[in-house]
Each structure stands twice: as C-alpha cells, then as structure tokens.
Amino acid sequence: MHYRRLGRSGLKVSEISLGAWVTMGSQIDEKLSSDLIHHAFENGVNFFDNADIYARGQAELVMGKAIQDLPREELVISSKVFWPTMDGPNGRGLSRKHITESVEQTLKRLEVDYLDLYFCHRFDPDTPVEEVVFTMNTLIQQGKILYWGTSEWRASQIAEAYGIARQYNLIPPTMEQPQYHMFHRRRVESELAPIAESFGIGLTTWSPLASGLLTGKYNEGIPVGSRASMDSMAWIKESITQERIAKVVQLKVIADELGITNAQLAIAWLLRRKEVSSVITGATKLAQLKDNLAAREAVANLDDPILEKIEKILQNDPLNHD
Ligand SMILES: NC(=O)c1ccc[n+]([C@@H]2O[C@H](COP(=O)([O-])OP(=O)(O)OC[C@H]3O[C@@H](n4cnc5c(N)ncnc54)[C@H](OP(=O)(O)O)[C@@H]3O)[C@@H](O)[C@H]2O)c1
C-alpha cells in the first residue's frame, strides 16, 4: 500500500480506502463487515469512511465494533453530517446545534474518542458558512475531530469556507469528498483540481466503480444480489446504459492487455491524479476487496499511450456531467 498526504496536511492516508455506504449495517452482516475491515487493515488500508446517515447509524455501530481490536492510532476514521438523522427541523443540516449533537452520537456509535476526519456531507443553504467554519474549528479545539472537510461542495463554496477560516484565524477545510469515476469526472478535473492545488485540499473520492458498473458485472444484465438489484438502489439502473456498457467492454480489452481486471483499471486510473489523496472503495465480498486493493500495482502500467486509449473510449458520454 502507498500512502498520500491528505492535501497539504501532515496526515497520511492509504491511497485505497474502504467505506461503509450501502454495505455495512444493511447489505452485509456484521461478521463480513469486520472481516473486510480487518483484511483491508492487514493489507495497509488505514482510512475507513463512514457517515451518520449510512444505514441510519448502523454502519457506524458495525464499524465501531469491528475496529475495537485494531490500534486506534493507526486508523483514520471518518464520518459525516448533514442529511436528516434526527426528528424535527434541527435534526439535519449544518447548524451548530445539529453538528454538535450529531458528532456526539457518531462518537458513541463508533466507540471512539475522536474522529480523524469529519465531513460536511453536503452544502447547507440554510446555514451561513461562517457558522459551519466556527463550529468545525470548535470541534477541533475540543479534540472531537482532527481535520474537517466537505463533500460535494462547489469550488466557490469551499473557497468561501477557506476565506472565512483565514479571515478569523480558524482551521480551514483540509479535504473534499467528491464522486469521481470514469463516467463522472468533469467536476473533479475541471472545477476541484485547481482549488485543491491552491488551497492544499486533498480529495477523497467516492464510487470509483460507478457502483459496480465499471467492473463489467452489469454487461449481461443485473446479477441477483448486486447493488442495482436492491429495491432501495433502483435509481442506479438509470446510469447503466447500453452506451456505457459498450465502453466497459472496450475498457476490458485494455485491462486484458495489461493483465488486470476492469475494477483495477478503473481504480488505478483515478490514482493517476495527484489531487486524489485516497480512492474510497466499497465491497460486499472479500474477493471484491482483494480485486480492488490490487489496483495499486496497476498504476505504473498506465503510461501515456494507455491513457490516450482510455480517453478515446470515455469521450462523448452523454451522462457525464457534474
Ligand atoms: N460523500 C458521499 O456523498 C459519498 C457517496 C457515496 C459513497 N461514498 C463513500 O464511498 C465509498 C465507496 O462508494 P461505492 O460503494 O459507491 O463504491 P463503488 O466502488 O463504486 O461500488 C462498490 C460496490 O460495487 C460492487 N463491487 C465493488 N468491487 C467490486 C469488484 N471488484 N467486482 C465486482 N463488484 C464489485 C459491490 O456491490 P455489489 O456486490 O452489491 O454489486 C460494492 O459494494 C462508500 O462506502 C462511502 O464511504 C461517499
């Protein structure tokens, strides 16, 4: 495993990390979640991603149990706040009240004294950015979180938070968590890359395999038990188009040429960007995790001619917007 600095901070995160969305606390059981976390850790993964909303808190509970026998100082544990997790008008968003209450519950569920990373899961138009920056700074001063960041914020919103932090001598955001994969790239490459560079923000990117589509598993239809077969995830079927499947088939020719899997090609392709501090993966099976972790080895194979071939395949994706 290789480690990258989280932006310009001193924190080092594994280039490939493991997240809990859809899987832990819902799709897979506690034992498998724990096995995945332990296998990942034994193979160098130090960053484990979570959120208060995942499986309504169950994902944090399951991860919390699983990490109890791992050395806390070697782990980078994250969570997020924004989506509704409590009753009433204040049970959501980024108000000082909701952030303060949500982080307490997250710490309890994860059975940790502090979070390494804490993300504002979306921008909250109902809360002044000043209130968010001051609240995050307070949590850092209280030792409840170590670094704070954003997820799916526009570059202008991150710039506003950064400016406020500088104006009041507070700690600015260190990371942004955007969706980034071969079929969803414009926002990272055109909008976030420049700001990541100038503010020293690290990107921890999500859905590297487009929820599995880039592995080729949907080429012949929707396999039973796969994410797209879940009633609650029916919406991802819209992203599984014939045009994209045709591209995945073409990508397989390149992967075969390199002696790697489609998943490894897709993850290695993300790691070519220096703004990416960590690619957050997800898995429902140990074999998937092993496949994805091996992507690290494939990065060196992505020379310019290969990247150009990939570029030709990816161009003109009508759904590729931000
Ligand atoms: N900040 C945000 O708003 C946000 C949003 C989404 C996710 N995230 C984070 O990013 C993490 C990863 O996102 P993601 O789960 O969408 O990642 P992904 O890699 O795009 O999809 C993971 C899913 O694809 C399938 N899969 C994974 N590896 C495979 C392989 N090698 N071969 C075949 N199938 C494979 C599995 O689903 P099946 O086996 O069920 O088909 C797995 O659960 C999440 O856990 C979460 O921590 C953050």
Side-chain angles (χ1 to χ4, degrees):
M1 182 58 69
H2 288 230
Y3 300 87
R4 294 187 182 189
R5 283 171 66 190
L6 184 66
R8 266 205 296 273
S9 80
L11 186 72
K12 296 192 180 70
V13 286
S14 48
E15 284 180 335
I16 300 176
S17 44
L18 181 66
W21 182 55
V22 189
T23 58
M24 297 181 198
S26 70
Q27 199 185 0
I28 60 173
D29 65 20
E30 241 177 82
K31 160 93 172 63
L32 180 54
S33 303
S34 176
D35 289 350
L36 292 173
I37 288 172
H38 281 81
H39 180 84
F41 179 74
E42 282 153 20
N43 286 277
V45 171
N46 69 353
F47 169 26
F48 296 92
D49 185 61
N50 220 317
D52 59 356
I53 186 76
Y54 293 170
R56 296 172 181 270
Q58 290 300 312
E60 290 178 332
L61 279 171
V62 167
M63 187 179 280
K65 275 193 194 156
I67 59 173
Q68 288 313 303
D69 59 351
L70 297 178
R72 178 68 186 91
E73 69 281 4
E74 288 189 45
L75 302 174
V76 175
I77 302 292
S78 78
S79 194
K80 314 187 191 81
V81 58
F82 168 77
W83 296 105
T85 52
M86 298 169 194
D87 291 338
N90 290 311
R92 61 183 68 197
L94 298 178
S95 67
R96 180 174 298 117
K97 178 171 172 61
H98 184 58
I99 292 177
T100 304
E101 281 163 359
S102 186
V103 78
E104 287 305 333
Q105 297 204 358
T106 284
L107 291 171
K108 278 196 197 115
R109 285 191 291 258
L110 281 166
E111 298 180 56
V112 292
D113 298 326
Y114 66 93
L115 295 172
D116 298 275
L117 311 182
Y118 199 38
F119 292 91
C120 299
H121 212 156
R122 290 294 182 270
F123 183 78
D124 180 3
D126 289 345
T127 306
V129 177
E130 258 182 42
E131 183 173 335
V132 177
V133 178
F134 270 91
T135 305
M136 288 295 166
N137 193 75
T138 301
L139 294 184
I140 292 174
Q141 303 306 328
Q142 291 172 336
K144 291 181 181 170
I145 66 171
L146 302 185
Y147 299 87
W148 79 276
T150 56
S151 179
E152 294 294 326
W153 281 32
R154 307 298 313 208
S156 58
Q157 294 161 342
I158 299 170
E160 187 183 348
Y162 194 87
I164 290 168
R166 284 290 171 245
Q167 182 183 355
Y168 294 104
N169 214 12
L170 306 172
I171 296 171
T174 298
M175 65 284 175
E176 153 67 23
Q177 188 170 132
Q179 182 176 186
Y180 185 35
H181 54 72
M182 285 173 163
F183 294 140
H184 189 104
R185 54 190 296 204
R186 291 200 193 132
R187 203 169 75 84
V188 163
E189 295 176 7
S190 330
E191 185 182 323
L192 293 173
I195 200 167
E197 173 75 24
S198 46
F199 295 156
I201 283 176
L203 303 180
T204 63
T205 62
W206 59 270
S207 284
L209 302 176
S211 279
L213 172 60
L214 284 163
T215 66
K217 73 191 302 169
Y218 295 114
N219 289 2
E220 311 293 335
I222 296 180
V224 176
S226 64
R227 183 177 287 183
S229 74
M230 298 167 71
D231 288 344
S232 58
M233 299 298 290
W235 53 271
I236 65 167
K237 285 185 199 145
E238 281 170 31
S239 65
I240 307 176
T241 62
Q242 283 313 310
E243 288 82 2
R244 285 183 163 187
I245 287 172
K247 288 178 192 292
V248 173
V249 170
Q250 286 176 271
L251 289 166
K252 178 151 180 12
V253 176
I254 299 182
D256 286 349
E257 215 176 279
L258 297 173
I260 60 177
T261 64
N262 269 58
Q264 289 160 8
L265 182 70
I267 294 171
W269 182 82
L270 300 173
L271 286 169
R272 84 200 186 288
R273 303 275 322 198
K274 65 177 182 347
E275 304 86 1
V276 172
S277 297
S278 186
V279 171
I280 313 175
T281 63
T284 61
K285 295 178 179 63
L286 201 53
Q288 293 177 355
L289 177 63
K290 288 181 180 171
D291 183 10
N292 300 343
L293 290 179
R296 209 316 93 204
E297 316 311 324
V299 178
N301 292 325
L302 300 190
D303 56 17
D304 288 345
I306 296 282
L307 290 174
E308 274 164 35
K309 277 193 200 172
I310 295 175
E311 219 41 62
K312 281 210 181 96
I313 295 170
L314 296 184
Q315 66 194 2
N316 303 327
D317 177 16
L319 294 180
N320 193 354
H321 50 75
D322 60 9

